[in-house]
Amino acid sequence: MTGDGSRRTLSPYAISLLAGGLAGTTVDLSLYPLDTLKTRLQSASGFAASGGFRGIYAGVGSALVGSAPGAALFFVSYEACKDALQPHATSDSGEAGAHLLAASVGEIAACAVRVPTEVIKQRAQAAEAPSSMAALRNILDSRRTVGLTGVWRGLYRGWGITVFREVPFTMIQFPLWEWLKKQQCRRVSRPPTSPATASESAVFGCISGAVAAAASTPLDVLKTRMMLSKERQRLLVLSATIAREEGMHAFFKGMVPRIAWISVGGAVFLGSYQWTSNLLKTLG
């Protein structure tokens, strides 16, 4: 915190930390059932065998634990990188490039928390374990046969494909979100550096999320298959196997619930982030 004597204000990074943590928890818990249905549609076992419509909150414990720190880490990294690059972005294309790079850095940082959370969560969602704790225990118990290195690899299975999915997704969503906010400022003759309202941020988060979700669905299918796999799989081998055995349409399984989940999630996530950020700035 910073301040002048008795008056103390939150730093921009503290605001990003708190607003991001609240936004991440809000969106993950409110839209968890849609995420579960999407995971089961993408599972190699099939929707019904993975649980169908039963137990749609299976694995919610891991999401609850990982959502706040993951989102907070993303926004702190995103805002710090954006602030560092902003003085050098003297044109619209330069500004878009700054947002692209900042989003990439933020996403890679967030994946340090998100990947193990996703591995545990998805195994519970796909009925490979009865709960998040059971899924975690299964991975930890494998230490007897694969050692600590194997446990680490199990928790971070799918790291590469997750980053490979999340970075392109975020490189579409966040620059588009920032651009839409800037266009709104121009439309209503507002200074370009003024913050958006929560409702504006929610609408633009919905639009940018839907576009990014549709474009990255094939990568999401690959990520889900790799995380649910009992053994490590190579990306190209897995892609060829899916194309050969299930057809190209398999890469778009779960696209409708994914778009629904992420478009609504984008509205909730970025709307609640903007609302909390604006509130904390006002209070500060």
Side-chain angles (χ1 to χ4, degrees):
M1 287 180 136
T2 60
D4 54 335
S6 60
R7 181 177 174 81
R8 296 168 66 84
T9 60
L10 286 170
S11 72
Y13 300 121
I15 291 175
S16 296
L17 185 77
L18 294 172
L22 178 62
T25 302
T26 300
V27 69
D28 282 354
L29 293 184
S30 61
L31 300 178
Y32 194 83
L34 276 174
D35 183 39
T36 298
L37 295 178
K38 183 269 302 180
T39 297
R40 291 174 178 176
L41 283 167
Q42 293 177 345
S43 171
S45 302
F47 180 73
S50 297
F53 290 98
R54 302 184 308 276
I56 55 176
Y57 275 94
V60 71
S62 60
L64 183 62
V65 170
S67 58
L73 191 55
F74 170 83
F75 274 110
V76 169
S77 303
Y78 175 73
E79 294 293 347
C81 189
K82 190 172 73 170
D83 288 349
L85 295 171
Q86 207 75 18
H88 307 287
T90 56
S91 63
D92 287 346
S93 59
E95 192 172 14
H99 294 153
L100 284 171
L101 184 55
S104 301
V105 170
E107 201 57 61
I108 292 171
C111 280
V113 174
R114 185 176 299 147
V115 171
T117 300
E118 282 278 301
V119 168
I120 295 166
K121 180 194 74 173
Q122 290 195 331
R123 292 188 180 188
Q125 287 177 322
E128 293 188 6
S131 66
S132 293
M133 186 58 68
L136 176 60
R137 193 179 299 117
N138 289 343
I139 295 173
L140 296 178
D141 287 347
S142 67
R143 178 174 58 87
R144 302 186 186 95
T145 56
V146 299
L148 290 175
T149 302
V151 171
W152 184 263
R153 287 176 176 172
L155 285 171
Y156 279 89
R157 176 165 294 162
W159 163 270
I161 186 60
T162 301
V163 172
F164 190 49
R165 179 200 69 172
E166 294 293 348
V167 168
F169 173 87
T170 308
M171 288 175 69
I172 296 171
Q173 183 187 31
F174 273 80
L176 180 55
W177 176 61
E178 297 278 10
W179 181 81
L180 289 169
K181 290 194 297 178
K182 186 174 182 179
Q183 295 307 306
Q184 175 67 1
C185 286
R186 289 174 176 170
R187 192 180 72 84
V188 299
S189 301
R190 199 165 59 202
T193 56
S194 62
T197 65
S199 58
E200 289 170 348
S201 185
V203 171
F204 302 150
C206 176
I207 295 170
S208 59
V211 173
S216 61
T217 296
L219 296 175
D220 187 55
V221 171
L222 289 169
K223 186 223 64 159
T224 299
R225 295 292 182 90
M226 292 183 78
M227 285 188 167
L228 294 179
S229 173
K230 296 292 191 298
E231 300 176 355
R232 293 186 70 187
Q233 296 199 48
R234 295 185 181 276
L235 176 60
L236 293 179
V237 173
L238 177 60
S239 301
T241 301
I242 293 173
R244 183 178 64 253
E245 296 181 357
E246 302 177 51
M248 295 302 294
H249 71 277
F251 290 103
F252 295 92
K253 284 184 176 180
M255 185 171 71
V256 172
R258 175 172 165 78
I259 291 174
W261 166 51
I262 292 180
S263 60
V264 176
V268 175
F269 183 55
L270 294 172
S272 59
Y273 173 79
Q274 196 74 58
W275 180 85
T276 307
S277 178
N278 291 350
L279 177 64
L280 292 174
K281 289 175 183 176
T282 301
L283 294 176

